[in-house]
């Protein structure tokens, strides 16, 4: 074949080198397990392997996230001709025992094992996360040995850009950042734009508090993101890519930087890839803590070194993007789906999930559950299956109350809708959104007005301040919620809150403001009695307590809304 | 995280940390110049440069921001405007130790408030503030993405998983004592050298 690198040779060589070892110990080295002491575990295992002289026999790999973060550090032992054995809660002592018994003597440490038939693993379908816990994220060779960069090579050397877009369109892949816009259609728009300065941007500004899907993909399988971007660039005619990463994710930045260097060295990024005239380069841009930068136009402003304030669309980025040139923003998870779709085909992907929501979704499963961690499930799985089977039910014999999806832009799903399939449209119908994949489970102890106030405080802090409905509206809504939660709210407060929700939702410039009322509206819809129980009689709130100015402000806002309704 | 600052601190001793105009041979100036050259003085690299400034100096002072504006040929108002827009930039020196409590949704549901309140009470430091003696800053993080281990806090960048107020307070004490004993060791070493001379 033409080009600077023969992937088959590299993959073959790597696989042969790995096959020499009789046992491979895969140690989860992701952020969660590392904070649980995974480094000490690895060191302990390495020490025993050295003591017993097993270096020729045992390969030790620090992998990415294995998913079940609440039972970390996790260690998997893979032996030639035997089933994999997974160990949970492996501290240094347990690591030592596993090395002495299992690695040296072939006797698994039974009481520490966790069955791979455990529903947490058995119910998952892995597309984006297929390499997690399998490869060493620091080595491009490992990614290539697992089929990496083959999709890019085949696309660039055997397919037309239109052919690639056709595959993505037929797969039914929709944007995983929250909106769910069909990815193929977006690619087509950029493909049709006339410019020789087009860019693709990977949105890794995962600002939703309680979500870490993109972080995990960037940290633990960084080449997958680069390959997805390169395929997108080939399909759309882009010459340059940017990955926008939150500054809160320093490990992701380091791993991506390293991956870019490795890909360039192997001529998988750079000029004239695979001997064609397709050239593509990727640069990382680091955020600095601003939730609004997840919005496309704000993100581009931030890449250009400016305040991350959004502008009105249209024009859409595919018409006028970075420095005025056509640009396309895809979420990291969306791009991470692409190499697998190209490799396994549109039909294979479209067979997973539901009619309108194809494929899988990665969720960060958190909150009051027995099992928390990172999961990938087929779209359309019910919330009940996720919570009861994968999550192992609510922790501590408490009752399930609600699950929050979509973070500060989303809403809650109460018990009566627990059998709802998790797909874009069903969640929208319930007043929530798919969002980027944060899924937080709350038990009976959590007060919903508190949750609404929590999210509103977040939106208030994160409002960029450019447009009034969001800047002042989130502030006033927070004050009203605070009045309610602290026993200073009357029936009128609640009316004003609801009116203001409508004003902010319909008048804000960008998605942040437009969706900021969602957690309030959704908790009000399903848990209104909780709000009503907080109300005090009229006049009580004026007894020397703050809040009077808020009432007045909300009054004028509701008058404004009434007025606009009349004029409409 | 602050490798650059550590390098600068090691080179300059402790001078410069107390404020006042930096001496002309302040090694931090050279570090900043290196960063500016690395981005080829491009105005669109402003956020990167601000990260470097915070890394080198610990915070963004008006003097350094003016230097950055000159170097990137941007109006100072633009530099200040961008710097103040983003949450991660700090305009005051942080304490010797930082305790950052994650206030993401998963941590909120699992009691981040109690962590914050516990540290505030034990160390007399308000959220977002630094203790008067400069020993500790108490900060909040939006979400550090370790939701499976909620609630979490960071002490000088190291994660404390599934934290309780007591465990967090104990971890802060350990961090403070460790640096005290390190300082003692330096003093003893210095005294030892003095004695030998």
């Amino acid at each position: 074949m033409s080009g600077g690198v023969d992937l088959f040779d590299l993959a073959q060589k790597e696989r042969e080198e790995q096959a020499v070892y009789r046992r491979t110990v895969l140690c989860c080295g992701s952020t969660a397990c590392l904070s649980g002491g995974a480094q000490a575990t690895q060191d302990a295992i390495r020490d025993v392997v050295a003591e017993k002289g097993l270096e020729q026999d045992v390969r030790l790999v620090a992998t990415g996230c294995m998913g079940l973060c609440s039972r970390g550090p996790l260690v998997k032992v893979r032996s030639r001709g035997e089933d994999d054995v997974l160990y949970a809660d492996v501290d240094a002592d347990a690591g030592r025992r596993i090395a002495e018994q299992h690695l040296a003597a072939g006797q698994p440490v039974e009481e520490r094992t966790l069955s791979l038939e455990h529903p947490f693993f058995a119910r998952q379908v892995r597309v984006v996360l297929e390499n997690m816990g399998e490869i060493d994220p620091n080595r491009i060779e490992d990614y290539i040995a697992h089929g990496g960069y083959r999709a890019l090579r085949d696309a660039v050397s055997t397919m037309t850009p239109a052919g690639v877009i056709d595959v993505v369109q037929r797969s039914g892949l929709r944007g995983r950042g929250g909106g769910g816009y069909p990815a193929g259609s977006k690619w087509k728009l950029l493909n049709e734009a006339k410019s020789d300065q087009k860019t693709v941007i990977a949105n890794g500004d995962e600002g939703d508090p309680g979500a870490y899907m993109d972080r995990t993909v960037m940290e633990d399988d960084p080449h997958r993101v680069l390959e997805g971007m390169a395929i997108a660039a080939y399909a759309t005619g882009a010459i340059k890519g940017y990955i926008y990463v939150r500054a809160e994710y320093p490990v992701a930045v380091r791993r991506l930087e390293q991956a870019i260097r490795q890909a360039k060295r192997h001529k998988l990024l750079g000029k004239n890839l695979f001997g064609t005239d397709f050239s593509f380069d990727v640069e990382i841009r680091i955020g600095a803590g601003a939730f609004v930068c997840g919005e496309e136009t704000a993100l581009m402003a931030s890449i250009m070194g400016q305040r991350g304030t959004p502008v009105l669309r249209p024009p859409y980025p595919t018409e006028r993007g970075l420095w005025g040139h056509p640009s396309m923003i895809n979420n990291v998870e969306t791009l991470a789906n692409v190499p697998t779709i190209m490799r396994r085909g549109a039909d294979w992907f479209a067979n997973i999930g539901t009619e309108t929501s194809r494929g899988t979704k990665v969720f960060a499963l958190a909150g009051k559950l027995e099992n928390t961690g990172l999961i990938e499930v087929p779209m359309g799985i019910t919330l009940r299956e996720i919570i009861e089977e994968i999550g192992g039910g609510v922790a501590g014999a408490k009752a399930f109350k609600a699950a929050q999806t979509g973070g500060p832009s989303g809403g809650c799903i109460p018990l009566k809708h627990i059998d709802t399939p998790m797909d874009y449209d069903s969640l929208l119908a319930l007043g929530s959104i798919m969002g980027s994949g944060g899924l937080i489970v709350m038990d009976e102890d959590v007060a919903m007005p508190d949750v609404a106030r929590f999210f509103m405080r977040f939106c208030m802090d994160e409002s960029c301040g450019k447009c009034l409905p969001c800047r002042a509206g989130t502030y006033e809504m927070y004050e009203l919620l605070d009045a309610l939660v602290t026993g200073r709210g009357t029936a009128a407060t609640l009316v004003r809150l609801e009116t203001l929700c409508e004003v902010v939702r319909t008048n804000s410039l960008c998605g942040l403001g437009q969706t900021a009322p969602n957690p309030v509206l959704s908790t009000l819809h399903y848990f209104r009695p909780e709000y009503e129980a907080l109300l005090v009689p009229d006049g009580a709130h004026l007894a020397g307590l703050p809040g009077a100015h808020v009432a007045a402000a909300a009054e004028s806002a509701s008058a404004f809304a009434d007025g606009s309704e009349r004029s409409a | 995280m602050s490798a650059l600052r550590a390098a600068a601190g090691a080179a300059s001793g402790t001078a410069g940390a107390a404020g006042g105009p930096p001496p002309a041979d302040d090694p931090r100036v050279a570090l900043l110049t290196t960063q500016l050259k690395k981005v080829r003085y491009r105005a669109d690299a402003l956020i990167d440069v601000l990260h470097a400034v915070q890394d080198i100096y610990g915070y963004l002072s008006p003097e350094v921001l003016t230097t950055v504006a000159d170097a990137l040929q941007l109006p100072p108002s633009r530099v200040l405007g961008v710097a103040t827009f983003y949450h991660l930039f700090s305009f005051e020196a942080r304490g010797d130790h930082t305790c950052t409590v994650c206030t993401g949704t998963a941590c909120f549901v699992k009691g981040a408030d109690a962590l914050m309140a516990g540290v505030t009470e034990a160390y007399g430091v308000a959220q977002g503030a630094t203790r008067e003696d400069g020993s500790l800053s108490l900060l909040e993080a939006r979400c550090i993405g370790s939701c499976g281990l909620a609630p979490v806090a960071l002490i000088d960048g190291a994660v404390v998983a599934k934290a309780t107020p007591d465990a967090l307070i104990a971890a802060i004490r350990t961090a403070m004592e460790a640096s005290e004993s390190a300082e003692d060791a330096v003093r003893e070493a210095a005294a030892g050298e003095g004695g030998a001379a």
Side-chain angles (χ1 to χ4, degrees), chain A residues 33 52 194 232 272 308 313 319 409 418 432 458 505 539 550-551:
Chain A
C33 279
K52 306 250 174 201
K194 302 244 175 303
N272 300 107
R313 296 176 303 179
E319 298 162 53
S409 307
I418 197 169
S432 188
F458 179 87
R505 192 179 70 78
V550 176

Side-chain angles (χ1 to χ4, degrees), chain A residues 32 35 70 209-210 212 215 246-247 285 287-289 302 305-308 367-368 372 440 454-455 457-458 461-462, chain B residues 42 44 47 51 78 81 85-89 103-106 108-110 140 142-145 147-149 159 162:
Chain A
S35 36
S70 56
Y212 57 105
R215 191 207 73 199
R246 291 177 80 201
R285 284 298 162 104
S302 188
Q306 298 161 8
R307 290 165 72 94
K368 302 204 169 176
T372 57
I440 293 169
F454 165 79
F455 282 122
R457 197 197 131 202
F458 179 87
D461 287 348
E462 293 296 339
Chain B
R42 287 200 335 252
D44 62 87
I47 295 171
H51 276 301
R78 164 83 184 281
F85 183 83
Y86 295 96
H87 294 293
L88 284 185
F89 296 127
T103 56
T105 317
F108 162 75
V109 169
K110 289 207 168 174
E140 81 174 294
R142 285 282 183 248
C143 178
I144 60 162
C147 313
L149 305 171
V159 176
K162 296 179 188 169

Side-chain angles (χ1 to χ4, degrees), chain A residues 287-343:
Chain A
F291 177 63
V292 71
C293 287
E295 199 278 341
E296 296 191 332
T297 58
L299 186 148
M300 291 192 298
S302 188
I303 287 181
M304 294 186 285
Q306 298 161 8
R307 290 165 72 94
T309 48
V311 293
L312 264 184
R313 296 176 303 179
Y316 286 95
T318 44
E319 298 162 53
R320 261 184 78 82
L322 281 180
W323 292 286
H325 305 298
S327 309
M328 175 178 80
I329 296 110
N330 281 156
N331 177 262
V332 161
E333 190 186 329
T334 314
L335 290 164
N337 269 294
V338 170
T340 313
I341 292 174
M342 298 305 296
R343 213 166 54 235

Side-chain angles (χ1 to χ4, degrees), chain B residues 6 9 16 22 26 29 52-53 57 64 82 86 89 97 125 135 147 155-156 162 170-171 174:
Chain B
D26 186 338
V29 174
V53 169
Y57 291 86
V64 181
V82 170
Y86 295 96
F89 296 127
H97 297 279
V125 55
S135 59
C147 313
I155 293 175
D156 298 333
K162 296 179 188 169
T174 310

Side-chain angles (χ1 to χ4, degrees), chain B residues 118-142:
Chain B
V119 176
T120 298
E121 200 188 308
Y123 286 96
V125 55
Q127 184 174 332
T130 300
R131 257 169 72 127
E132 271 180 31
D133 64 0
S135 59
L136 180 71
S137 296
L138 178 59
L139 309 172
E140 81 174 294
R142 285 282 183 248

Side-chain angles (χ1 to χ4, degrees), chain B residues 43-56:
Chain B
D44 62 87
L46 175 58
I47 295 171
D48 270 2
V49 172
L50 293 176
H51 276 301
V53 169
Q54 180 141 314
D55 216 14
I56 295 166

